[in-house]
Amino acid sequence: MFSNKESFKIAFMDRLVSIHGKDVGATTIADQYYTLGTMVREYASSNWVKTNDVYKNAKTKQVYYLSMEFLLGKLLKNYLYNLDIYQISKDGLKELGIDIEVLMEEEPDAGLGNGGLGRLAADFMDSFASLNLPGHGCGIRYKYGLFEQKIIDGYQVEVPDYWLKEGNVWEVRKSDKAFEVRFGGKVITNTQNRELTFEHIDYEPVLAVPYDMPMVGYKNDTVNTLRLWGAESKMKHVDPADLSGQSYYKVIEYKRRTEAIEEFLYPDDSTEEGKVLRLKQQYFLVSASLQSILERFKRINDNLIDLPDKIAIHTNDTHPVLAIPELMRLLIDNEGLGWEQAWAITTKTISYTNHTILSEALETWPINLFQSLLPRIFMIIEEINERFCTKLWDTYPGDWDKIAKLAILSDDQVKMANLAVIGSHSVNGVSKLHSHILKNQLMKDYKKLMPNKFNNKTNGISHRRWLLVANPGLADIINDAIGRTWIENPKELQELKKYSNDQAFQQELQNVKNRNKKDLANWIYKQEGLVIDPSSIFDVHIKRMHAYKRQLLNLFHIIDLYRRLKENPNLGLTPRTFIFGGKAAPSYYLAKNVVKLINALAKVINQDKTIKNKIKIVFIKNYGVSDAERIIPATDVSEQISTASKEASGTGNMKFMMNGAMTIGTMDGANIEMGEAVGLENMFLFGLKPEEVLGFYKRGDYDVREIYNQDPRLKFILEQLISGPLGREDADFKSIYYSLLHNDEYFVLKDFASYVKAQNKISFAYSNQQEWLSKSILNIANSGEFSSDRTIQEYSKDIWNI
Ligand SMILES: *Cc1c(COP(=O)(O)O)cnc(C)c1O
């Protein structure tokens, strides 16, 4: 289509005119973005077809990664890099008077996810394709992604994110590959020739229509598929006689119910209606995906017994775990297999990743709600449950408590994590610590029953997106020092170790960091109207707002620092800029209050002339993937300060490490493995250890009052929340005050003293730039094992067998 700058220019102009019917001069940036996007999609499409043909002809085993979230962000720049046409496009556009950077900004962030779990799914897609592995995603094409966060008077306000308003250049709608998904109704049991058959009647059909997006590998001609399902009403189902009178409104209601399925990423589930909708979404994803997977399988293969050798289905957390009963349904009701055979195939095909031990995140559904929405699936779950409990009875005769705890159905609930463990062949955690806690605490009874199911796969991040593309300055100096092989094999970043004390390399690294910090400062000025000093330490805390992630602990340190500065304006302190970003769930009152607190504190501190700009606070509104790509390369200090044992892995921590930031963190999630890789002397770890936290929970003997009474700094800080300049805000920080002094569930007060010490160490370390840069280089050099390529290779070998 184009092979050099000149042919690119011709192709671009032709297309600009043919799509938009305007001269180049009259087109908008949006027109230009859309034009380049379609060119890139078509550029990739011959390899897309070829990749599918290769898989089909070789009957290659396929992996399907089912996830309710894919936090894709932008794709254009990554695809230009992966297809090796970035430079041609950039130069060509420049000659047409178009700045490619401005054009690329036009792409909306696809925010079809919440945070780490959704971003992980997106980085996995990148690794599948770049490693030439046959892995595809299955998800939902939400019309609205995660809400857009506005800040009004310091408060978070949620606005719908209509990311599709200008269309999505990457998707291809395939209406000929639609499937029907059925809700409600009832099941009739028939006996024919002494065989039971099940007939689902009076159901409401919904049409699942696939929108396929190409997942382009890095310079390797592989293009896999991310299939996002849209929901449409099935008008064939509607009797024309219904289109008048009262029935007309019933048809409209049916349409409304259907469209609701694809509307929002997270429907408000505080109501029964919202809960039903969320369950509907889960079954919609699972049923459409499995029907389409099975149909493709049957087109290419003869025998259903071979299914586990040809297909692996992975469920990202419990959200798609209805894949287990749905596959059973398809095999038994549609394909006529017997229970035992269907069960053997299903459990060999499906695997599951657990993402959290937070109890509020372990999904359950009220049985009555579940049964009326999915009657046949419920019957199958009952049968799975019954067979499992019968076996349990042999192991634990008479131990009803144990059986109730391990059953899928108990306490009037359907327990999704239990279904996941029982119906899959592999259960993995996402860091060594998290997997250890799963095996020895949360799921220890299952571990005894099924010792070989449990394993660990430490999360990873795409080093292509998070280093090569997000931080081209750093990538360039790495290439100059050690060559480009790390791009194919990120472990080779190890070669950089040799340069940790190389003064010339240190200088280059410092230059890159300074440039990135200046760029970020300019962007923050444009975005938030705030002037920050690029020579200050950029101390960054960006992630979802949640009590366990302890944004409060960070704020407490800032309040303490502010007090010290007020008492002694000449305090020898390297100026710091504290950067926060993150969304709070709309119904999470405490987290929203913390957003307000950050903004209230920012208002007080940023305006205080007496501290001579030594500290500044920035809250970046509407934090998303593109913000992360801009902020992380400019970061000096990475805040990874969750309550030990609570952060299953974290992936933000890895992105910062790979970009040379220093981590201040707890012994939690993947921080521990980062420490093993780089050496504890090159990180700033502090606070309670996971076993200490778990010990306090178990014994119930953490006395927050004792800590509070011992440390006058804490008294001062907490009083600010109710009576200082912060307390005089119209906001209600009392709830924070009381929740901390009530039981301080996340040990903010307990870890405060050791956190402040670690922060002081950081200030001291930063003043010795040579040593700082040497540590920074060692962090980059040892970050290769946190590439999602390593993670995907481990899943491929140990779980999916591809
Ligand atoms: C990486 C990433 C996350 C996950 O960050 P954690 O610090 O691991 O919680 C969340 N949101 C976005 C946009 C990300 O890029």
Side-chain angles (χ1 to χ4, degrees):
M1 202 158 68
F2 52 90
S3 48
N4 58 39
K5 191 174 66 185
E6 292 310 319
S7 56
F8 170 85
K9 273 162 58 183
I10 293 166
F12 182 82
M13 299 234 281
D14 278 356
R15 184 169 295 233
L16 198 56
V17 173
S18 67
I19 297 182
H20 301 288
K22 308 180 201 171
D23 250 5
V24 180
T27 56
T28 63
I29 298 169
D31 297 337
Q32 295 160 5
Y33 158 70
Y34 193 82
T35 302
L36 183 58
T38 57
M39 280 170 74
V40 170
R41 193 189 68 219
E42 278 171 36
Y43 197 91
S45 67
S46 66
N47 280 333
W48 202 1
V49 174
K50 248 184 261 163
T51 303
N52 278 326
D53 283 346
V54 169
Y55 292 159
K56 192 168 81 190
N57 296 335
K59 301 190 177 187
T60 320
K61 183 171 184 182
Q62 305 287 306
V63 178
Y64 297 94
Y65 194 83
L66 270 52
S67 180
M68 286 285 278
E69 301 187 21
F70 285 91
L71 189 52
L72 296 167
K74 302 189 199 304
L75 295 172
L76 178 55
K77 190 171 190 177
N78 287 75
Y79 285 1
L80 290 168
Y81 267 76
N82 289 3
L83 297 166
D84 209 7
I85 50 176
Y86 178 72
Q87 203 59 43
I88 290 179
S89 310
K90 184 178 170 168
D91 296 345
L93 288 170
K94 195 170 175 190
E95 290 183 12
L96 298 172
I98 297 168
D99 181 347
I100 194 168
E101 295 295 328
V102 174
L103 181 156
M104 290 185 307
E105 273 304 296
E106 199 62 28
E107 179 173 5
D109 265 43
L112 311 185
N114 218 336
L117 176 148
R119 186 55 233 170
L120 183 77
D123 276 343
F124 279 5
M125 293 299 112
D126 182 24
S127 285
F128 273 131
S130 296
L131 293 167
N132 288 312
L133 289 168
H136 314 278
C138 301
I140 293 179
R141 181 180 179 268
Y142 305 101
K143 286 244 166 80
Y144 298 88
L146 191 61
F147 65 86
E148 180 188 343
Q149 179 192 53
K150 299 213 160 165
I151 301 296
I152 297 178
D153 296 333
Y155 289 99
Q156 167 175 304
V157 174
E158 301 97 25
V159 178
D161 163 43
Y162 188 32
W163 71 291
L164 286 170
K165 66 175 171 284
E166 306 287 339
N168 172 9
V169 277
W170 306 116
E171 70 188 14
V172 181
R173 180 188 150 94
K174 301 210 169 131
S175 49
D176 59 319
K177 296 191 173 166
F179 290 91
E180 182 179 291
V181 178
R182 299 172 174 182
F183 295 102
K186 49 185 186 252
V187 178
I188 297 179
T189 310
N190 299 313
T191 322
Q192 279 172 344
N193 311 328
R194 276 188 267 148
E195 259 191 49
L196 280 180
T197 58
F198 302 93
E199 194 184 349
H200 191 180
I201 60 166
D202 296 343
Y203 55 82
E204 181 161 284
V206 171
L207 200 63
V209 181
Y211 290 75
D212 286 356
M213 292 170 75
M215 295 287 115
V216 177
Y218 181 76
K219 297 188 186 173
N220 67 355
D221 299 344
T222 294
V223 180
N224 291 330
T225 302
L226 171 59
R227 175 160 284 188
L228 300 180
W229 296 97
E232 295 178 14
S233 43
K234 210 168 168 189
M235 277 306 171
K236 268 198 207 131
H237 168 66
V238 174
D239 184 343
D242 287 349
L243 288 170
S244 63
Q246 278 297 312
S247 303
Y248 173 76
Y249 294 100
K250 292 219 173 92
V251 174
I252 297 289
E253 276 166 30
Y254 163 57
K255 244 179 101 78
R256 206 29 241 142
R257 275 196 301 278
T258 305
E259 283 160 10
I261 295 173
E262 58 163 22
E263 198 141 42
F264 289 104
L265 167 63
Y266 276 106
D268 172 15
D269 66 354
S270 56
T271 62
E272 169 106 352
E273 225 184 342
K275 278 203 188 77
V276 172
L277 183 52
R278 173 87 177 146
L279 182 58
K280 252 184 167 174
Q281 290 181 323
Q282 295 188 351
Y283 183 66
F284 175 76
L285 163 65
V286 156
S287 180
S289 303
L290 280 166
Q291 291 182 65
S292 122
I293 292 166
L294 213 56
E295 198 223 44
R296 180 187 176 278
F297 170 83
K298 289 203 299 182
R299 229 184 311 123
I300 301 173
N301 301 279
D302 307 318
N303 201 337
L304 282 166
I305 297 293
D306 298 333
L307 195 81
D309 299 325
K310 293 291 164 194
I311 279 171
I313 294 172
H314 198 86
T315 64
N316 193 24
D317 214 328
T318 53
H319 320 139
V321 154
L322 294 181
I324 294 163
E326 176 67 1
L327 185 52
M328 289 296 285
R329 182 185 75 82
L330 293 169
L331 293 176
I332 294 170
D333 295 1
N334 292 10
E335 306 296 335
L337 297 192
W339 183 278
E340 299 293 344
Q341 217 172 22
W343 183 247
I345 292 173
T346 298
T347 50
K348 276 188 220 160
T349 303
I350 292 176
S351 47
Y352 154 68
T353 297
N354 174 284
H355 280 274
T356 180
I357 57 162
L358 294 186
S359 56
E360 71 262 28
L362 291 174
E363 277 192 306
T364 62
W365 300 105
I367 281 183
N368 55 356
L369 178 157
F370 191 105
Q371 187 171 17
S372 63
L373 186 69
L374 305 168
R376 177 65 184 131
I377 293 298
F378 184 73
M379 285 174 78
I380 292 170
I381 291 178
E382 274 187 310
E383 180 78 26
I384 297 173
N385 186 55
E386 189 137 332
R387 287 169 185 246
F388 180 69
C389 288
T390 307
K391 271 204 271 176
L392 274 184
W393 184 258
D394 295 338
T395 321
Y396 301 108
D399 190 347
W400 288 107
D401 286 348
K402 179 85 79 192
I403 292 170
K405 193 174 137 207
L406 299 181
I408 303 167
L409 302 173
S410 60
D411 317 317
D412 284 328
Q413 301 284 318
V414 183
K415 298 182 173 168
M416 299 287 275
N418 296 9
L419 175 60
V421 175
I422 293 163
S424 64
H425 66 91
S426 166
V427 177
N428 74 281
V430 290
S431 72
K432 280 186 197 165
L433 172 67
H434 170 59
S435 297
H436 178 84
I437 295 174
L438 277 186
K439 275 190 282 199
N440 296 293
Q441 310 227 355
L442 192 68
M443 296 186 171
K444 67 168 190 282
D445 294 319
Y446 287 121
K447 161 79 182 162
K448 266 191 222 144
L449 292 166
M450 332 161 173
N452 300 325
K453 259 190 202 183
F454 291 85
N455 64 91
N456 173 247
K457 297 286 167 283
T458 300
N459 281 167
I461 54 163
S462 163
H463 61 286
R464 289 168 292 273
R465 175 173 292 260
W466 296 104
L467 174 49
L468 183 69
V469 182
N471 197 346
L474 180 56
D476 281 348
I477 65 168
I478 294 173
N479 291 342
D480 288 346
I482 62 169
R484 304 179 60 95
T485 52
W486 65 273
I487 302 171
E488 305 283 337
N489 181 12
K491 290 242 172 74
E492 291 191 14
L493 284 170
Q494 289 277 355
E495 295 298 307
L496 277 179
K497 277 191 198 162
K498 294 201 285 275
Y499 292 85
S500 69
N501 291 312
D502 180 308
Q503 292 208 356
F505 190 77
Q506 288 182 353
Q507 186 59 53
E508 287 173 28
L509 178 62
Q510 194 175 42
N511 294 344
V512 168
K513 185 67 82 183
N514 287 341
R515 226 179 304 130
N516 292 341
K517 287 169 77 175
K518 274 193 193 124
D519 289 347
L520 181 62
N522 286 334
W523 182 77
I524 286 174
Y525 180 68
K526 270 196 230 140
Q527 194 81 358
E528 312 285 338
L530 185 75
V531 178
I532 60 170
D533 175 7
S535 69
S536 62
I537 300 175
F538 283 14
D539 182 325
V540 176
H541 203 163
I542 46 173
K543 50 184 75 231
R544 281 179 302 125
M545 305 297 302
H546 198 293
Y548 87 80
K549 292 180 183 278
R550 296 201 295 192
Q551 281 89 0
L552 270 180
L553 182 56
N554 188 341
L555 287 173
F556 278 22
H557 166 245
I558 300 173
I559 295 174
D560 187 56
L561 201 59
Y562 183 48
R563 177 189 57 78
R564 274 144 64 193
L565 270 173
K566 292 294 271 184
E567 284 169 6
N568 176 11
N570 296 320
L571 193 71
L573 175 83
T574 312
R576 276 221 211 191
T577 303
F578 294 94
I579 299 172
F580 290 87
K583 296 177 184 177
S587 59
Y588 192 171
Y589 177 75
L590 190 101
K592 288 171 98 167
N593 237 325
V594 174
V595 172
K596 171 66 184 170
L597 180 58
I598 296 170
N599 287 306
L601 192 62
K603 201 164 112 190
V604 172
I605 290 180
N606 295 348
Q607 286 169 5
D608 187 339
K609 297 274 187 305
T610 68
I611 59 165
K612 301 176 187 155
N613 294 324
K614 288 215 169 131
I615 42 182
K616 282 268 153 77
I617 302 177
V618 189
F619 186 87
I620 309 270
K621 60 175 179 286
N622 200 36
Y623 170 61
V625 175
S626 295
D627 304 293
E629 287 166 5
R630 199 185 309 271
I631 296 166
I632 292 168
T635 297
D636 298 306
V637 178
S638 159
E639 299 277 350
Q640 306 301 335
I641 61 177
S642 51
T643 309
S645 80
K646 295 284 181 186
E647 186 72 89
S649 162
T651 47
N653 46 4
M654 303 166 182
K655 300 168 195 166
F656 286 105
M657 179 191 192
M658 198 172 269
N659 282 276
M662 222 55 68
T663 303
I664 182 165
T666 44
M667 282 289 206
D668 201 14
N671 292 354
I672 298 172
E673 287 155 77
M674 284 161 48
E676 285 168 10
V678 71
L680 294 184
E681 68 284 8
N682 297 309
M683 278 173 83
F684 295 83
L685 295 177
F686 71 94
L688 290 173
K689 312 273 181 292
E691 57 280 11
E692 292 173 316
V693 169
L694 295 170
F696 276 120
Y697 284 136
K698 202 165 177 180
R699 297 184 309 270
D701 62 352
Y702 168 44
D703 183 358
V704 63
R705 288 278 168 176
E706 190 188 322
I707 308 285
Y708 176 75
N709 290 327
Q710 275 170 5
D711 193 336
R713 295 173 301 181
L714 286 171
K715 272 198 178 141
F716 174 84
I717 292 164
L718 280 159
E719 267 158 29
Q720 300 308 302
L721 298 181
I722 48 176
S723 61
L726 295 171
R728 286 197 295 277
E729 278 277 332
D730 54 353
D732 183 13
F733 299 136
K734 286 190 197 71
S735 58
I736 297 177
Y737 177 90
Y738 288 118
S739 86
L740 289 172
L741 284 183
H742 170 58
N743 66 351
D744 187 18
E745 194 185 342
Y746 296 99
F747 301 93
V748 174
L749 273 62
K750 179 85 182 160
D751 274 347
F752 173 75
S754 104
Y755 179 59
V756 172
K757 270 193 199 147
Q759 283 288 18
N760 291 341
K761 263 196 214 161
I762 291 232
S763 289
F764 185 70
Y766 192 81
S767 62
N768 182 346
Q769 272 293 299
Q770 212 165 32
E771 209 173 297
W772 181 274
L773 288 163
S774 155
K775 287 182 197 294
S776 172
I777 294 164
L778 290 173
N779 270 275
I780 301 165
N782 288 291
S783 68
E785 72 174 84
F786 301 101
S787 164
S788 47
D789 287 7
R790 186 266 311 145
T791 314
I792 282 295
Q793 278 159 337
E794 289 177 2
Y795 276 91
S796 297
K797 179 167 158 287
D798 304 339
I799 300 179
W800 302 323
N801 196 19
I802 54 165

